[in-house]
């Protein structure tokens, strides 16, 4: 018999439910109540491409130590979906716990002896106390939150306080949910006592101020703060909520007293048109952006080339999902790296930013707009479904005092009036590959030019002369060198830089990577990429480490390809650590692959569990 | 194409209300074939803008790809222009219009650019009633790729390929009308006086003004059996009603008998006098009547030109959006940045 698991503030809860039953608010209530008690939490909503009926899971990592990536296994499962019950049951770790709806009896073969079972009649309790059919279903979800609170020894008033926040203004809902919480809580107390479960949540005094927010909300708000006025988009999971957040925050922060808007949000006819609108707005001097996912980036390829070649700023948020084609539209991946870096035909490349949490998402939008304006080129902000749609624990959003918008090289009416030499739109007067642009309507007879995707000379006049074409393409390369000095540097996230083993990761792979590293008993350095093109310290890091691994969430090691290509590194120097099943990358997957690589490369390492054994 | 720009200027030609000369509205030398209908359209745009005292630098010119889409380079040299990608001009124009509501926007497209690859964006620009002039230079063929039929080539029409078109030709005016355009007109590049009147009306109008201009391709589709040739157009045109565009500064001097003329007020204060033809002619904003008149003409093997539809009440995109009067591109950080207190408040809501 396996001993029941015992842990305080270090475990994983999973709630297996049916899509469309309204479980989202009950699940959020639980996660936010844990967070409100000062305990670090990472909720992940694993949902189907469906409105009603398919299985959905809500996985909550609770970790006082701050391990907020996916761990990869489940300590306690709430199984309320008959379709997936068998598999959900099997997933519980030995020594773990299984809470189920005992209104109906569990099938006989659900008889694991290595886990503890809690039957709570969720449906019956709800049916006994609520008359409305829809409400019964919704509130049976809240009943399991009450039951969990009793098992974990949580303060019920803390959850009720959160309830009041979540349903502010809807008093009737608050009362009904509070009753449902009590029903679950009291049932568990009466039937299982208060000490039967070894998993406990103990409230903490948080060391620093933290927020819980989705990446998409932070991106939308970031665009508001960055001065975006035009947003064009086409609905696509998982990026839709960026547009929704931008519009909601604009409605709150960007309207005049008369209700007039200092912004425009257009739901376009497709992603292609969305980027076209963004290009038109930026060409005219208004900051515009769009948000999409892989399929949208595929469609936008033509326009990426235009913006690159005609040198029009544009900001595109790519919330990546599992491809190719429609792939798994509600699952996460980092699989658009190459597509985004080299989008469009001909020789093109685009700067990419890789934020890792909501605070960075917020800042990345300001950085992206400044970079797009400064370099007059499209910039992509790369996140994924995991960060975009899940609530992430993060430092508060911050805007440095006095930071102002960098609109780049723009000649206004006065500058044009005082211009002594002939204006050339593509004339590299400063030697950094970036020429001065003008906004339409600025000056009666100076500065007008014709923007085009065809070859032109330095004065924007159409030409098919080979020298003029090459001259322009080479200037664009000079500009790329300038861009390298403008993007955020890669950061050392762990170690002192002197280890033999070096890991590289980016975006949402960071948290699980850091957790995996802490299980090893040898020095390991972790470098996090924050942008493409790569800062000089990336090449240095690779050169300095005997064994280099790159952790990413795609099948083909796309970032590795990009590094090999751009830094001219031998491919064998970087060992890929990959995860691509559509779920956020778990720490144990990383650790296992690291072990294999280290064994293969002849480095003797024991991880800490082996040492203990 | 011609290689020499003529320097000759008519001695009587003076300055307009802005003190500008006609030459201030011209563009680069055209590289289109000699006799191309599109060059007449460019000339008509120059004339309309000159006579309406349009400030050249307060115009944004847009196009997609194709012969027609080269033409914005051939008029209004002091305007910014944007030659975008094939069929996608409407979206680029949409973004620009959102970014600065104060300029005059002229989009030039062709039947290949609009009726096939760009059909989706065209329909949606009309649907949003974007405040712009959208002009299609319609020659029924793809000139720049050497004369393939376009989607507006009429059934049975024979181009230089010698093969009769076997598919139905799309009517862009009918499509624009059905999609929400607030001004719809058709003209012929060989009828400059009508075209200039229509252009002036479209420029004065606030909303999506669509003009389908039959503009023959002299190289690939000016054959005896083509329905988009100069000869065919001249012989088969019916005019929906003579237009008289009266700029807002001018007094109406012509006397019309009551009932013969419909008077329409345009957004910039100008007036439009429209001759009523036939006793069944409906009001200008009667969509059903407009479609019926177009269909009747088509059934009779004729081409109806003139102002076919006008609704001055339909709100444009900015009106629908309730955008502030100041162009969005003129708003600085002071007006756009919500402040650090608001950020602190939002952080508190997430903790």
């Amino acid at each position: 018999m396996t001993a029941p698991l015992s842990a305080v503030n270090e475990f994983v809860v999973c709630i297996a439910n049916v899509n469309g039953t309204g479980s989202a608010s009950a699940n959020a209530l639980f996660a936010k109540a844990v967070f409100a008690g000062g305990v670090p939490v990472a909720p992940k909503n694993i949902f189907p491409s469906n409105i009603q009926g398919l299985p959905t899971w809500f996985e909550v990592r609770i970790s006082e130590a701050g391990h907020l990536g996916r761990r990869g296994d489940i300590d306690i499962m709430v199984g309320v979906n008959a379709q997936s019950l068998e598999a959900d049951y099997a997933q519980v770790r030995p020594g773990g716990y299984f809470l189920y709806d005992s209104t109906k009896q569990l099938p006989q073969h659900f008889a694991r002896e290595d886990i503890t079972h809690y039957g709570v009649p969720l449906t019956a309790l709800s049916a006994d106390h609520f008359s409305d059919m829809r409400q019964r279903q919704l509130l049976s979800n809240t009943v399991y939150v009450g039951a969990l609170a009793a098992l974990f020894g949580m303060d019920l008033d803390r959850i009720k306080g959160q309830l009041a926040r979540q349903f502010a203004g809807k008093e009737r809902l608050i009362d009904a949910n509070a009753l449902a919480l009590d029903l679950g809580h009291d049932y568990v107390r009466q039937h299982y006592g208060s000490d039967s479960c070894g998993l406990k949540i103990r409230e903490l005094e948080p060391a620093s101020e933290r927020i819980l927010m989705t990446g998409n909300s932070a991106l939308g708000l970031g665009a508001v703060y960055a001065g975006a006025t035009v947003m064009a988009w086409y609905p696509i999971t998982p990026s839709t909520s960026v547009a929704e957040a931008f519009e909601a925050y604009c409605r709150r922060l960007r309207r005049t007293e008369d209700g007039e808007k200092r912004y425009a949000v257009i739901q376009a006819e497709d992603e292609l048109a969305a980027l076209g609108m963004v290009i038109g707005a930026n060409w005219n001097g208004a900051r515009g952006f769009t948000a999409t996912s892989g399929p949208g980036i595929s469609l936008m390829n033509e326009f990426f080339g235009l913006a690159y070649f005609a040198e029009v700023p544009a900001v595109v948020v790519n919330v990546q999902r599992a491809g190719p084609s429609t792939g798994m539209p509600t699952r996460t991946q980092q699989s658009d790296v190459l597509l985004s870096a080299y989008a469009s035909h001909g020789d093109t490349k685009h700067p990419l930013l890789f934020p890792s949490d909501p605070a960075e998402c917020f800042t990345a939008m300001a950085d992206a707009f400044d970079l797009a304006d400064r370099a007059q080129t499209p910039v992509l902000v790369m996140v994924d479904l995991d960060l975009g749609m899940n609530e992430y624990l993060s430092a508060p959003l911050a805007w440095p005092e006095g930071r102002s918008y960098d609109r780049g090289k723009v000649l206004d009416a006065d500058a044009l009036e005082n211009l002594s030499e002939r204006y050339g739109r593509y004339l590299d007067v400063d030697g950094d590959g970036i020429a001065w642009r003008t906004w339409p309507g600025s000056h009666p007879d100076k500065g007008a030019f014709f923007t085009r995707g065809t070859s032109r000379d330095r004065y924007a006049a159409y030409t098919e002369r080979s020298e003029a074409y090459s001259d322009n393409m080479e200037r664009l390369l000079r500009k790329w060198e300038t861009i390298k000095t403008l993007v955020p540097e890669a950061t050392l996230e762990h170690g002192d830089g002197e280890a033999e083993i070096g890991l590289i990761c980016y975006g949402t792979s960071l948290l699980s990577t850091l957790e995996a590293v802490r299980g090893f008993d040898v020095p390991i350095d972790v470098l996090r990429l924050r942008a493409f093109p790569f800062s000089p310290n990336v090449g240095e890091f690779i050169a300095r480490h005997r064994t280099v691994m790159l952790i990413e969430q795609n099948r083909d090691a796309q970032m590795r390809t990009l590094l090999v290509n751009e830094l001219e590194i031998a491919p064998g120097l970087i060992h890929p650590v990959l995860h691509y099943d559509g779920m956020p990358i778990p720490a144990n997957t990383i650790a296992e692959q690291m072990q294999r690589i280290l064994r293969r490369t002849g480095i003797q390492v024991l991880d800490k569990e082996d040492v203990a054994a | 194409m011609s290689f020499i720009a003529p320097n000759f200027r008519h001695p009587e030609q003076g300055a307009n209300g802005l003190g500008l000369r006609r030459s201030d509205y011209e563009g680069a030398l055209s590289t289109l074939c000699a006799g191309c209908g599109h060059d007449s359209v460019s000339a008509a745009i120059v004339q309309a803008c000159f006579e309406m005292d349009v400030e050249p630098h307060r115009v944004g010119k847009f196009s997609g790809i194709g012969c027609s889409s080269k033409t914005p380079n051939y008029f209004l040299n002091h305007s910014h222009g944007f030659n975008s990608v094939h069929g996608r001009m409407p979206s680029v124009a949409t973004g620009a219009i959102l970014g600065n509501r104060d300029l005059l926007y002229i989009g030039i497209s062709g039947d290949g650019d609009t009726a096939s690859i760009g059909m989706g964006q065209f329909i949606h620009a009309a649907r949003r009633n974007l405040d712009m002039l959208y002009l299609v230079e319609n020659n029924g063929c793809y000139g720049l790729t050497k004369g393939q039929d376009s989607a507006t080539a009429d059934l049975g029409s024979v181009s230089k390929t010698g093969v009769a078109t076997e598919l139905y030709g799309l009517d862009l005016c009918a499509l624009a009308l059905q999609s929400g355009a607030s001004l719809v007109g058709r003209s012929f590049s060989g009828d400059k006086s009508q075209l200039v009147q229509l252009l002036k009306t479209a420029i004065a109008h606030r909303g999506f003004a669509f003009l389908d201009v039959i503009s023959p391709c002299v190289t690939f589709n000016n054959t005896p059996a083509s329905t988009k040739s100069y000869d065919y157009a001249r012989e088969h045109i019916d005019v929906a009603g003579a237009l008289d565009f009266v700029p807002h500064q001018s007094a109406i001097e012509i006397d019309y008998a009551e009932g013969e003329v419909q008077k329409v007020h345009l957004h910039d204060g100008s007036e439009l006098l429209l001759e009523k033809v036939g006793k069944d002619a409906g009001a200008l904003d009667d969509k059903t009547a407009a479609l019926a008149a177009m269909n009747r003409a088509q059934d009779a093997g004729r081409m109806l030109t003139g102002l076919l539809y006008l609704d001055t009440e339909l709100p444009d995109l900015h009106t629908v959006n309730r955008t502030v009067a100041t162009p969005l591109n003129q708003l600085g950080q002071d007006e756009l940045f919500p402040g650090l207190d608001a950020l602190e408040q939002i952080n508190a809501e997430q903790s």
Side-chain angles (χ1 to χ4, degrees), chain A residues 32 35 162 165 209-214 221 224-230 249 252-254 256 258-270 272-286 302-303 306 310 312 362 391 395-405 407 438-454 462, chain B residues 31 55-63 65 69-101 103 105 117 120-125 127-128 317-318 320-326 328-351:
Chain A
K32 292 206 166 178
F35 171 67
Q162 186 57 39
R165 267 182 89 171
E209 205 190 326
R210 285 278 181 270
I211 60 164
L212 196 61
M213 190 179 200
T214 66
L221 182 65
V224 179
Y225 271 77
T229 50
V230 176
Y249 282 121
R252 171 173 163 184
L253 302 166
R254 278 273 195 79
T256 65
D258 306 330
E260 290 188 325
K261 298 176 183 170
R262 293 196 179 95
Y263 65 96
V265 177
I266 299 290
Q267 186 181 322
E269 50 271 36
D270 52 37
L272 233 135
L275 184 52
M277 292 174 193
V278 168
I279 290 170
N282 281 285
W283 174 82
N284 227 349
E302 181 187 38
F303 265 136
L306 174 74
V312 182
F362 180 77
E391 306 254 2
L397 312 181
W399 184 279
E401 193 91 43
R403 173 174 181 164
S404 54
Y405 303 158
R407 302 304 314 267
T438 59
W439 293 352
S442 299
H443 192 278
D445 49 32
K446 284 179 175 175
F449 67 96
F450 208 67
T451 304
R452 55 177 109 233
T454 46
Y462 180 80
Chain B
T31 60
E55 286 183 278
H57 77 291
R58 303 293 292 168
V59 178
K61 304 176 291 183
F62 291 88
S63 62
I65 294 293
S69 294
K70 288 168 173 264
T71 66
N73 203 18
Y74 311 146
F75 58 84
L76 299 180
N77 238 356
H78 294 301
S79 311
H80 276 66
F82 200 146
N83 184 194
S84 66
V85 284
H86 202 18
R88 322 295 183 207
M89 174 267 276
S91 64
V92 178
T94 304
I97 291 167
L98 291 173
N100 184 355
R101 62 185 301 173
L103 303 187
Y105 294 98
I117 189 168
Q121 295 206 352
F122 165 61
I123 293 291
H124 285 274
R127 176 173 170 257
R128 296 188 182 103
L317 185 60
H318 276 298
V320 172
N321 186 59
R322 299 201 65 200
T323 322
V324 287
T326 312
L328 294 178
N329 72 345
Q330 305 294 315
L331 300 174
Q333 189 162 352
D334 289 350
E335 288 123 319
L336 299 176
F337 188 76
L340 297 179
D341 290 347
L343 189 59
E344 206 168 299
Q345 170 66 29
I346 290 165
N347 276 324
E349 290 162 15
Q350 319 295 321
S351 57

Side-chain angles (χ1 to χ4, degrees), chain A residues 17 37 70 76 84 93 104 243 269-270 322 343 356 388 391 393 414 421 428 461 473 484 520 528 560 585 596:
Chain A
N17 213 321
R70 256 184 99 224
I76 175 165
S84 63
R93 239 176 118 188
K104 272 168 77 178
E269 50 271 36
D270 52 37
S356 272
E391 306 254 2
L393 194 76
D414 290 341
E421 61 278 25
D428 186 7
M473 290 300 282
K484 287 181 184 171
F520 287 81
R528 177 163 66 101
R560 177 173 171 262
I585 189 168
R596 267 203 302 276

Side-chain angles (χ1 to χ4, degrees), chain A residues 140-207:
Chain A
S140 70
N141 297 321
T142 313
V143 176
Y144 65 64
V145 175
L148 289 175
L151 291 175
F152 300 153
M154 290 170 75
D155 178 3
L156 210 52
D157 288 337
R158 169 69 74 190
I159 307 183
K160 287 180 181 169
Q162 186 57 39
L163 189 64
R165 267 182 89 171
Q166 200 163 317
F167 295 107
K170 299 172 187 163
E171 302 309 320
R172 210 173 46 87
L173 275 177
I174 296 174
D175 293 344
N177 274 282
L179 175 57
L181 281 173
D182 286 335
L183 291 172
H185 187 265
D186 295 352
Y187 186 93
V188 165
R189 278 290 166 85
Q190 280 159 25
H191 294 80
Y192 302 103
S194 57
D195 286 325
S196 76
C197 182
L199 307 176
K200 295 291 174 211
I201 291 175
R202 201 171 296 146
E203 295 203 353
L204 299 169
E205 206 52 60

Side-chain angles (χ1 to χ4, degrees), chain A residues 522-596:
Chain A
V522 287
I524 298 176
D525 294 329
V526 177
L527 184 78
R528 177 163 66 101
L529 305 175
R530 292 177 64 208
F532 172 72
F534 304 112
S535 47
N537 60 342
V538 178
E540 289 160 20
F541 184 88
I542 295 168
R544 203 170 343 110
H545 289 81
R546 194 176 136 201
T547 303
V548 179
M549 303 181 217
L550 205 164
I551 295 119
E552 53 186 321
Q553 300 175 53
N554 58 65
R555 187 194 65 181
D556 292 346
Q558 295 190 19
M559 186 64 86
R560 177 173 171 262
T561 303
L562 202 57
L563 279 168
V564 164
N565 187 39
E566 294 288 327
L567 302 183
E568 300 182 21
I569 293 171
L573 287 179
I574 305 174
H575 301 277
V577 172
L578 305 170
H579 174 79
Y580 48 89
D581 67 2
M583 304 289 259
I585 189 168
N588 58 8
T589 299
I590 298 174
E592 282 159 22
Q593 292 188 51
M594 283 173 62
Q595 284 285 11
R596 267 203 302 276

Side-chain angles (χ1 to χ4, degrees), chain A residues 51 89 110 180 238 241 243 307 377 441 444 454 477 553-554:
Chain A
I51 299 301
Y89 185 70
F110 280 65
S241 49
T377 201
T454 46
L477 265 190
Q553 300 175 53
N554 58 65

